[in-house]
Amino acid sequence: MEQDLKAELQKHGVFTTTFEELYNWGRKNSVWPLTFGLACCAIEMIATTMARYDLARFGAEVFRASPRQADLIIVSGTVTKKMAPQVVRLYNQMPEPKYVIAMGACAISGGPFRDGYNVLKGIDRYIPVDVHIPGCPPRPEALIDAFMALQRKIAGQQLTGGARARHLKPETPSEYPVPEHGEHGLEPTLNAEVWNPLRVIQ
Amino acid sequence: MISSLKEMPREAGETGGMAGSGAGSQLLEVAMGPHHPSTHGVFRMDVQLEGERVVRLKPVFGYLHRNHEQIAEKTSYLGSMPYTDRLDYLCSMSNNWAYALTVEKLTGLQPPERAEYIRVIMAELTRVQNHAGLIGFLLQDMGASGTPLMYAFREREKILDLFEWVSGARMMCNYMRFGGVRVDLPEGWVEGALAFVERAPRFLDEYEGLLRNSEIVMARTQGVGLLPAELAVNAGVTGPMLRASGVNYDLRKVDRYGVYDRFSFRVPLGEKGDVYDRYMMRLLEMRESVSILAQALRDLPGGPILDPKSKLRGLRPKAGEVYGRIEAPKGELGFYLISDGSTNPYRYRVRPPSLINLTVLEDMCLDRSVADVVVILGSVDIVLGEVDR
Amino acid sequence: MTPEQIRSEIEAAIPGCSVEVAPNGAVPGQASLAVDRLHALEAAWFLRRHPGLLLDFCSNVAGVDWLDREISEKVKVRKLVDGVEQEAEETRKSKIPGRLEAVYHLFSIEKKQGPVILRVRTENRSDRVEIPSLTPVWRSAEFQEREIFDLYGIVFTGHPDLRRLLMWEGFTDHPMRKDYVPPPEDDGPQDPRGAVGKEAAAG
Amino acid sequence: MLGEGIVRGLAETARNFFGSFAEKERLTTVQFPEERRVPFEAARNFPFLVYDGDGKESGLRCVACLICEKECPPRCIHIDKSKDKKPDFVGKAQFYPAAFTIDVSVCMSCQICVEVCPFEAIKMDTAFELSTDDRFAGLLWGKDRLAKSNEHYHAIHPTEAAEVDERRGQEKAAAEAKAKPAAQPAEAR
């Protein structure tokens, strides 16, 4: 249906929708995040759910403690090498469709602690990330902004056709290999399937 | 403790179904964490259970070990200041102070009077918001889901507004400098802080009335997690936890750092050292903090905010070492610095109160049930950024 | 009590114990007591029970890594130059062997005083790194000594539960040592100078 | 009496619930995307480069002295110094940054770059709605994204910007005054 016609009908009190839109509308307004706090950003994540910012207004009222009941993992804080396998395992245990928000500098790239021997330089080495929020820590408003960006992404996902959402493609994995603790660090140091390194083209 | 428990007479079926049918002979190993809603971050406890009773508990650390000490040994003295914010990320102002105090001891810089007062104000505001948050989390662990934490964060936001007003950031203030503070209080800030201090007793009454008399809270906290005074001292427990066991040791009174000797305040003490005492300790300390805040805001002098000898870049203290400590909301926060005369410290060590307070976790939890472990851990008040650093 | 007084009291009370007063060049400049490894535990018990000190609270335990250092000093010597005795400067190089060290900051809660700084040193940095654990005296050292064992590799003999504290079991390095080199990681260019735009152009 | 404490606690929550209808103070929620708190003047998030006038490239105050690059604790600033020199606001020939990159995925908003900058060239911005799905293109900011006008600086930190402008005005006046007597003896000779 054409957008103009739809808008016109809406003015007259006739609402039309496609199955895809209805389905995505439902999904985007009931994203349940995982109660998963790692470090400083987790406090801002909690602050976002509290009275002043109230993330519940966006349908994310329920923070689930079990990954089996969660749709979204907010990686909020520094992922250390000791913790990385557990984060990947939690991600693997979440049912599809699932989304990842990398909240704060540490989760994106290791942030200020990236020179540390026990700090993972970004969670996108092991699991795919949908939205990155820079900041150290990002303000609660920034998390809400990222949450809305994720909602827009969900609303725009196609259910059929070649460009359909990641979780609907049979060839994309739902689980990723869990890194192991080696003698000097994590093995492997990254998952080449997921990670896109920065290329400098001179 | 473990052996005595095994000898205890046991009724049939008391070991619970999970441990199997062999009466009391089988132990169940449970790993609580690192992803667990009640561990206040990424912290793991390897608990051995006999039925519901804890017979062994070993904390496992390091899930948030961010190598703060090593990074600090590679950056300049000033460059470590924003990293100290991220130690105990609820109390960045007091961490800043502890580090600034230590470097001042090392270099001989002297903060002016106004800066000292500002530091006291910031530290006490930090203490109020930390204790309010802690009580919220503790009550949440006991099942009072939501409401106390909501109240705590409502008040915390007001304090964070004050922090943001002066330093520009909500949590990671990076506000103190060696020999003073970074910027002066903006216009209207003191009035804003006074307005908060005036309202604070009302909030504290409300917060105390909310659950203090609740029979459930009393049943869950009184007599739980007993910590005798001798053990607390020997295990290096500090802060509200030590004072809840009845030991009168508050660095604000003992070391009299800053200008704490100019304020009149009391040091609340507990009797038994159980979870209830630790819970009440926080409530009482918040009231004392509010009284210090009122005095400091009343007496706040004018003048400069930074020692004129202090310089931002290229600080090179003389070779030597120093240990500085303050009474942070969680206990004695110390910094141990060794300088070799270069621009970065040769050795930089943080004495984390949260980590050392956990030394007695096993002693407090033995012979209690799993549900009590959660409450006892909550009453210790840990922040993983500081435990693992 | 000054560090010198404490030193003489320890040496009088514990036969064979040698204590060195290590100077401190910082502004407050409190000297510390370097107790020899073999008598460290006895010295610790002595300090804790000493009626004038009553150091019942061990606040901080820190590991320190001292690398092998070469110190060059300029010394004035008299030399015969062309038959005439002259004063000349000569640089002498001396080697200070590296060692690991555990530093204990002791306070007294009873007497509200402190700190007394105690240092215990290992023989070298590689194979002889045992020092006695002071956990039997102060339990607050338990986790901190484990941390030092983990990050510096000092083996505390007599520690009730000496395992790694922060890093995982199976990790073999001691990362806080000054000569620790982290394993190479493929993390692209650390320096993304001028990469903006070009990356987008590459697709 | 059993249950008394619980009733008292419930009374406390009830007072808050009903009080929120009467008291504005008890209503704390900020309906974020529609309703925004007025940002504090000191608020900071990520750095930006100030330029004077209209020239986004030519008006940059930065002279590529590399102090901020060196002092940045997490080392997220990367500068390439130019080969040639350009006159700055007082007419002195200075280098300029050929490339100036800030990796905001590393930046910890500590403001140390602002404090150490002797040229008032780098300041803190207050924008925080920066979420992106692109790890590199969205978070590696080059000169074109970092450069913001002095007017923008005035809009977000008015007091501070006014002070900076005054100081720069004095500097410029002093430089002009110095240039004049230097020119006169040369004519006399």
Side-chain angles (χ1 to χ4, degrees), chain A residues 66-145:
Chain A
S66 164
R68 296 286 184 206
Q69 301 163 343
D71 310 311
L72 164 69
I73 176 168
I74 302 176
V75 184
S76 53
T78 319
V79 185
T80 58
K81 286 182 184 165
K82 190 162 178 174
M83 190 64 196
Q86 277 83 336
V87 180
V88 180
R89 204 166 286 138
L90 282 170
Y91 177 81
N92 287 348
Q93 286 172 0
M94 281 162 60
E96 290 283 7
K98 53 191 170 186
Y99 302 93
V100 181
I101 290 182
M103 181 184 184
C106 293
I108 301 173
S109 69
F113 297 97
R114 67 177 170 167
D115 291 338
Y117 48 86
N118 192 26
V119 175
L120 185 71
K121 295 184 181 73
I123 192 61
D124 56 350
R125 285 164 169 261
Y126 293 114
I127 55 176
V129 177
D130 295 285
V131 182
H132 303 264
I133 327 168
C136 190
R139 299 177 59 85
E141 288 106 323
L143 178 60
I144 293 179
D145 178 58

Side-chain angles (χ1 to χ4, degrees), chain B residues 151-310:
Chain B
Y151 285 17
F153 269 69
R154 187 186 65 199
E155 244 28 53
R156 182 172 179 266
E157 289 291 342
K158 290 175 188 160
I159 295 174
L160 292 192
D161 279 352
L162 290 173
F163 287 167
E164 192 181 357
W165 196 350
V166 60
S167 76
R170 285 160 51 84
M171 278 170 75
M172 306 306 177
C173 304
N174 185 20
Y175 180 55
M176 310 223 176
R177 288 289 174 268
F178 314 129
V181 294
R182 197 183 71 214
V183 286
D184 206 347
L185 301 176
E187 212 175 302
W189 193 90
V190 175
E191 288 72 34
L194 274 171
F196 171 78
V197 170
E198 270 163 36
R199 280 194 315 256
R202 198 183 89 170
F203 159 68
L204 291 175
D205 288 341
E206 180 186 290
Y207 206 38
E208 206 174 316
L210 189 62
L211 280 169
R212 187 197 154 173
N213 299 311
S214 164
E215 288 78 6
I216 300 168
V217 171
M218 289 198 190
R220 293 281 320 259
T221 55
Q222 286 183 346
V224 174
L226 288 169
L227 179 64
E230 303 86 70
L231 176 66
V233 170
N234 192 24
V237 173
T238 45
M241 221 177 131
L242 177 69
R243 292 192 286 276
S245 293
V247 182
N248 187 356
Y249 194 69
D250 187 324
L251 295 183
R252 291 176 293 177
K253 293 275 191 196
V254 175
D255 280 8
R256 296 176 167 267
Y257 61 94
V259 285
Y260 271 117
D261 47 354
R262 302 191 193 173
F263 308 118
S264 72
F265 64 99
R266 292 173 303 165
V267 178
L269 291 179
E271 277 175 12
K272 289 158 83 182
D274 56 2
V275 174
Y276 188 73
D277 278 0
R278 292 197 273 276
Y279 163 58
M280 285 310 293
M281 189 62 49
R282 266 77 183 215
L283 283 171
L284 295 171
E285 278 199 358
M286 277 198 279
R287 289 187 190 275
E288 294 305 318
S289 289
V290 170
S291 124
I292 297 175
L293 276 170
Q295 295 171 48
L297 286 164
R298 186 192 64 205
D299 301 341
L300 182 69
I305 48 156
L306 200 62
D307 186 337
K309 280 190 295 233
S310 123

Side-chain angles (χ1 to χ4, degrees), chain A residues 3-32:
Chain A
Q3 288 299 319
D4 297 347
L5 178 61
K6 213 167 130 183
E8 188 61 32
L9 279 171
Q10 233 169 53
K11 277 180 201 158
H12 299 288
V14 181
F15 292 90
T16 55
T17 184
T18 58
F19 176 72
E20 187 178 275
E21 270 176 36
L22 185 69
Y23 179 72
N24 281 342
W25 173 83
R27 282 200 311 138
K28 83 169 188 169
N29 287 314
S30 61
V31 177
W32 287 3

Side-chain angles (χ1 to χ4, degrees), chain C residues 124-195:
Chain C
N124 61 20
R125 297 179 68 249
S126 47
D127 52 339
R128 314 194 67 160
V129 289
E130 290 95 25
I131 58 174
S133 163
L134 301 190
T135 304
V137 191
W138 296 286
R139 254 194 77 186
S140 58
E142 185 181 338
F143 286 168
Q144 306 190 62
E145 283 179 349
R146 268 178 71 186
E147 184 186 322
I148 296 169
F149 165 71
D150 184 356
L151 303 180
Y152 285 91
I154 300 180
V155 177
F156 289 90
T157 51
H159 191 284
D161 182 23
L162 197 64
R163 291 175 293 136
R164 282 187 179 268
L165 183 81
L166 297 171
M167 304 304 285
W168 56 86
E169 296 290 327
F171 190 73
T172 52
D173 302 333
H174 301 296
M176 276 296 279
R177 288 201 183 185
K178 290 278 173 187
D179 51 1
Y180 169 74
V181 184
E185 271 179 55
D186 174 27
D187 49 351
Q190 272 284 304
D191 181 356
R193 223 173 287 220

Side-chain angles (χ1 to χ4, degrees), chain B residues 70 321 332 346-347 349 389, chain C residues 59 63 65 144 147 178:
Chain B
Q70 197 194 49
E321 59 170 55
E332 174 187 325
Y346 184 79
R347 176 77 174 107
R349 150 99 185 150
R389 283 152 293 137
Chain C
S59 167
D65 178 17
Q144 306 190 62
E147 184 186 322
K178 290 278 173 187

Side-chain angles (χ1 to χ4, degrees), chain D residues 115-161:
Chain D
E115 282 171 69
V116 297
C117 180
F119 300 95
E120 316 280 4
I122 188 164
K123 296 289 166 196
M124 295 308 271
D125 205 349
T126 50
F128 54 81
E129 287 158 280
L130 303 162
S131 59
T132 170
D133 56 356
D134 196 329
R135 158 85 170 75
F136 290 108
L139 298 176
L140 267 178
W141 294 358
K143 226 170 21 170
D144 52 332
R145 181 146 186 203
L146 289 169
K148 281 175 187 167
S149 66
N150 196 21
E151 284 73 45
H152 174 76
Y153 182 33
H154 273 275
I156 55 174
H157 305 301
T159 334
E160 196 189 297

